Amino acid sequence: MNYTRTILTSLALTSSVIASAQQLTLHIDQAQKDVSPTLYGMMTEEINYSYEGGLYGQLLRNATFREDKHGRRPNPWTPWKSGGAKYWTATDTTRSVLTLTQKGGYSRALPACLNWKAQAGSSLANDGYWGIAVRPGEHYKGYLIARATQGGPLTVSLQSTDGKTTYASTQVSGLSAQWQKVSFEMDIPATGKTTVSPTKDVRFVLTAPVGGNYDFSKVVLFPRTFNDRPNGLRPDLMRMMTKMSPKFLRFPGGNYVEGNDFHNRFDWKRTVGSPDERPGHWSPWGYWSTDGLGLPEFLTWAEDCGAEPILAVFAGYVLKGDYLPADYCGPFIQDALDEIEYCIGSADTKWGAQRVRDGHPEPYPLHYVEIGNEDFFDESESYAGRYKAFYEAIKARYPQLQLIATAGQKQIEQWARETGVTGLKFDVIDEHYYRNTKGMYQSVNLYDGYDRKGPKIFCGEWASREGKPTTNMNAALGDAAWMTGMERNADLLIGHCYAPLFVNVNPGGMQWESDLIGYDALKAYGSPSYYAQCMFASNVGNKIVPVEAKDIPQMDYQGSSLPQLYFSATTSTTDGQTYLKIVNGGTTPQTITIHTIGGKPAKKGLLTVLHANKPDETNSINEPTHIVPQSSKVKTGSNFKLTVKPYSVNVIKM
């Protein structure tokens, strides 16, 4: 890529001339190309304990007893003995006996059974996902699916991990020899002498005051959830996502769609209806997913964030490389059609009626469906045939939908020639980019030369991978520079989304470094990249403003000469606001003369700045707001100067 060329259209212009008289001219009068209405969005998958132990509100780990301390049974014919229920502990091991079996439980969906032969006063404890959050005024709801052949009521409590403090407790009574679901509620006092300080050094405890013989198939605990939805989501994470102003949510996203094998794919039909009838499956990242966060919750999640779904359907290929050729994909194609029907079908359709039973009478908005995930890894070259089969079947039933291919057009066409597939059509291509900051700087002009007569582009996963567990300021600079390139080409891109979205920052909670939002059981925080996302997504118009640049300085970056400034601009034809974004990746401040041509610019605007003194500075669970945006009024107009700090992301609204 030649970064010294001058571009006088809607593309960015950079110059090899090093000077102090750098200028940006915004041709608002030439803003004709449309910004995609779904440009900024979110992508999610079950990685880094994003759902279990993260967004999904349920607090207890191994709530359905499917995780064994000895791990997974390797195969049916290998001698194997259970090591007991992982994450469940008898606090009095000398008097309590715990036995776990993977059959004999409540139902086919909940086959596991944890038997507890409890002596009087003995307890069974669960530490949650690296603790359980306790706050003043918190209200908890939970239930047991259990039975008791002997024994009395059980005490349910939240206790400090050292057992010295009980924060809340209640009794559960009425258990019999038959499986039943018994609910309970607990409160943390909001005020008074017993007011507690927020803490996560807490565990969930079941105590048998008189001893007995108990069986458990499921035990759950929820705090308050976002919008008080049953089986709902964690409020602070939902609020953070809402601040990102997302226009779409891509789900179930990434490797979670395929799974490591066919049995552990995202089988959406096993994730609807009652959470107690969902059997769950193994996440490809090595831990159990209860599927409490299933298709209905995904769709509600998008709706609660003000976003529309971008739905990925399983397309006959799993991560281990196994696949079914197109001729044998009929059942999976029908599954995809049924899944779309669940989302947008009327109440008189089979799966539309199921959506109604799940609590959502109206269809969800759905405009895009993705066929598979990252099928550019498909060494079998089967994707060309599978893609065509899915494409034609979905288009025949739902011609209004735009379908997204998960490998490049040239790659798919090459596979098609080699496998004899003909008649391919393309609406949208999904492209994924994980690079360091230098790679992002070098890729800013990637989309400038794309053919506007070809398919649209969806950048369904991307990130500047620097910093862990969440990104640092340097990554935020690379992210912001990359976003200026995508925003300048927002007539080509239907949308883009950062990945991964979440990470549990506790030791053992991270499988992928450099994530957007970090949290533990009690607190959450945004990385610098998160704040760059918020700044960009909440300040965008509906038309691309061509920007003419002059004398943009170069910087020596890791042995390469690269532009120091990156920029894009959009304007809104509805309210007249214009948004200019400038990224300064260099070590020195830069003063820029800004001209506007067209419109009636006001004399003052709003400048929002994300800045750090050093590029490796970051936010953390203990220092969550070290780097956050700051806003102030600035002089604007048809001709004004602006000084941008080093290592900064700047948004001017005028």
Side-chain angles (χ1 to χ4, degrees):
M1 188 67 66
N2 181 1
Y3 285 95
T4 63
R5 63 180 177 171
T6 300
I7 303 171
L8 298 178
T9 64
S10 63
L11 309 179
L13 179 146
T14 60
S15 172
S16 61
V17 178
I18 301 177
S20 60
Q22 51 263 28
Q23 298 179 13
L24 297 179
T25 301
L26 279 59
H27 290 277
I28 301 171
D29 58 332
Q30 298 177 23
Q32 298 178 346
K33 293 182 178 180
D34 291 331
V35 173
S36 168
T38 54
L39 182 60
Y40 291 96
M42 302 185 300
M43 177 271 181
T44 177
E45 68 171 299
E46 181 63 290
I47 183 175
N48 300 325
Y49 292 86
S50 291
Y51 307 155
E52 310 287 343
L55 182 62
Y56 182 44
Q58 204 285 120
L59 298 175
L60 303 184
R61 198 166 184 181
N62 198 14
T64 57
F65 307 103
R66 299 304 303 276
E67 293 188 77
D68 194 287
K69 291 178 181 178
H70 284 175
R72 300 168 66 180
R73 186 172 185 171
N75 52 60
W77 54 86
T78 300
W80 185 83
K81 183 178 180 181
S82 170
K86 203 171 184 180
Y87 311 117
W88 290 90
T89 305
T91 58
D92 185 353
T93 56
T94 61
R95 299 192 302 153
S96 292
V97 179
L98 292 176
T99 304
L100 177 66
T101 59
Q102 290 298 326
K103 59 182 181 179
Y106 171 67
S107 66
R108 290 184 64 185
L110 300 174
C113 177
L114 178 66
N115 176 256
W116 180 31
K117 291 181 174 62
Q119 300 298 316
S122 61
S123 297
L124 182 62
N126 186 294
D127 291 331
Y129 290 88
W130 298 280
I132 295 173
V134 162
R135 301 178 181 86
E138 186 62 87
H139 178 71
Y140 301 90
K141 293 182 179 180
Y143 61 87
L144 318 174
I145 294 181
R147 64 186 178 187
T149 54
Q150 66 180 86
L154 294 173
T155 299
V156 178
S157 62
L158 290 173
Q159 299 180 8
S160 58
T161 52
D162 61 10
K164 295 180 179 180
T165 303
T166 298
Y167 298 103
S169 67
T170 189
Q171 272 204 338
V172 173
S173 59
L175 292 177
S176 69
Q178 303 301 316
W179 287 107
Q180 56 189 301
K181 182 176 178 177
V182 183
S183 300
F184 61 86
E185 298 187 28
M186 295 185 291
D187 288 288
I188 306 296
T191 58
K193 294 181 179 179
T194 57
T195 301
V196 301
S197 298
T199 180
K200 65 180 179 66
D201 296 327
V202 177
R203 62 185 180 178
F204 173 86
V205 180
L206 288 168
T207 304
V210 297
N213 187 26
Y214 303 92
D215 288 329
F216 302 97
S217 211
K218 187 175 184 179
V219 183
V220 302
L221 179 70
F222 279 89
R224 288 190 177 91
T225 60
F226 190 75
N227 286 345
D228 293 321
R229 294 192 181 277
N231 196 52
L233 307 181
R234 180 169 159 169
D236 56 347
L237 296 181
M238 286 294 291
R239 287 191 293 267
M240 290 184 71
M241 286 186 288
T242 301
K243 290 180 180 179
M244 291 172 64
S245 304
K247 296 301 182 288
F248 68 85
L249 173 67
R250 174 184 176 234
F251 70 84
N255 298 334
Y256 198 54
V257 178
E258 303 123 309
N260 285 330
D261 51 52
F262 282 92
H263 180 68
N264 288 297
R265 72 190 188 279
F266 183 75
D267 188 353
W268 74 269
K269 288 179 179 176
R270 291 153 62 98
T271 76
V272 300
S274 167
D276 298 330
E277 297 301 327
R278 305 177 190 179
H281 70 288
W282 286 99
S283 157
W285 295 97
Y287 54 91
W288 186 257
S289 178
T290 64
D291 286 328
L293 201 165
L295 181 59
E297 289 75 24
F298 277 119
L299 291 163
T300 303
W301 168 6
E303 185 174 68
D304 282 351
C305 286
E308 68 176 59
I310 289 183
L311 177 68
V313 298
F314 179 74
Y317 174 85
V318 298
L319 292 172
K320 287 184 178 179
D322 294 335
Y323 69 96
L324 287 179
D327 291 347
Y328 292 87
C329 278
F332 294 130
I333 292 173
Q334 188 59 53
D335 266 355
L337 294 171
D338 292 344
E339 189 171 11
I340 296 168
E341 182 177 280
Y342 182 95
C343 296
I344 63 176
S346 61
D348 59 0
T349 62
K350 176 180 178 180
W351 292 105
Q354 179 64 52
R355 183 196 66 244
V356 174
R357 289 193 293 273
D358 288 343
H360 201 278
E362 297 300 318
Y364 290 94
L366 183 67
H367 298 99
Y368 297 97
V369 172
E370 187 161 13
I371 300 172
N373 171 71
E374 291 190 335
D375 284 87
F376 49 77
F377 286 125
D378 177 12
E379 295 181 355
S380 73
E381 302 184 356
S382 66
Y383 186 64
R386 292 186 290 109
Y387 169 78
K388 181 184 178 184
F390 276 83
Y391 183 98
E392 291 179 348
I394 295 172
K395 278 288 187 179
R397 179 80 64 85
Y398 301 103
Q400 76 276 20
L401 295 178
Q402 292 288 289
L403 304 183
I404 304 172
T406 63
Q409 181 177 352
K410 291 182 179 179
Q411 185 179 27
I412 298 172
E413 289 175 338
Q414 175 65 29
W415 290 339
R417 287 190 292 271
E418 294 176 359
T419 56
V421 175
T422 60
L424 290 172
K425 296 180 180 179
F426 299 94
D427 300 338
V428 184
I429 302 294
D430 187 359
E431 298 184 346
H432 295 179
Y433 297 103
Y434 291 105
R435 294 169 173 162
N436 59 19
T437 296
K438 179 179 180 179
M440 284 305 195
Y441 287 154
Q442 293 173 326
S443 303
V444 163
N445 289 27
L446 175 69
Y447 291 120
D448 294 354
Y450 271 45
D451 182 6
R452 261 51 181 181
K453 296 180 180 179
K456 296 286 189 178
I457 302 299
F458 175 46
C459 192
E461 295 183 31
W462 66 267
S464 301
R465 296 194 64 193
E466 295 190 22
K468 63 178 182 179
T470 52
T471 57
N472 57 25
M473 185 64 196
N474 205 44
L477 295 169
D479 290 345
W482 173 245
M483 285 191 288
T484 65
M486 290 191 288
E487 193 169 278
R488 289 185 288 99
N489 290 279
D491 61 318
L492 172 70
L493 276 82
I494 66 160
H496 66 83
C497 42
Y498 185 101
L501 183 62
F502 291 129
V503 60
N504 192 311
V505 301
N506 285 281
M510 180 181 69
Q511 288 89 41
W512 182 277
E513 296 178 1
S514 303
D515 305 293
L516 200 67
I517 296 172
Y519 51 84
D520 60 15
L522 183 66
K523 298 180 290 185
Y525 71 96
S527 65
S529 293
Y530 163 79
Y531 288 108
Q533 290 273 329
C534 292
M535 291 168 62
F536 270 62
S538 59
N539 292 282
V540 61
N542 61 352
K543 295 288 184 179
I544 302 169
V545 174
V547 179
E548 179 181 351
K550 179 181 178 182
D551 295 343
I552 297 302
Q554 299 289 106
M555 62 179 177
D556 182 3
Y557 189 88
Q558 297 179 359
S560 297
S561 180
L562 297 174
Q564 183 169 341
L565 302 177
Y566 302 86
F567 41 84
S568 62
T570 61
T571 192
S572 172
T573 57
T574 58
D575 62 11
Q577 297 284 355
T578 294
Y579 306 92
L580 173 62
K581 287 144 184 177
I582 303 174
V583 181
N584 183 0
T587 61
T588 57
Q590 295 294 320
T591 300
I592 309 164
T593 299
I594 298 170
H595 301 285
T596 60
I597 300 175
K600 297 180 180 180
K603 293 182 179 180
K604 287 189 177 181
L606 184 68
L607 172 65
T608 303
V609 181
L610 185 72
H611 161 72
N613 293 318
K614 297 179 180 179
D616 59 354
E617 290 184 18
T618 191
N619 297 330
S620 67
I621 197 72
N622 294 318
E623 197 173 6
T625 59
H626 178 64
I627 302 171
V628 296
Q630 302 292 332
S631 296
S632 61
K633 292 182 179 180
V634 292
K635 179 182 178 182
T636 58
S638 59
N639 188 11
F640 64 97
K641 290 184 183 292
L642 181 72
T643 299
V644 293
K645 296 178 179 180
Y647 308 130
S648 68
V649 179
N650 307 266
V651 177
I652 304 103
K653 177 181 178 181
M654 53 187 172

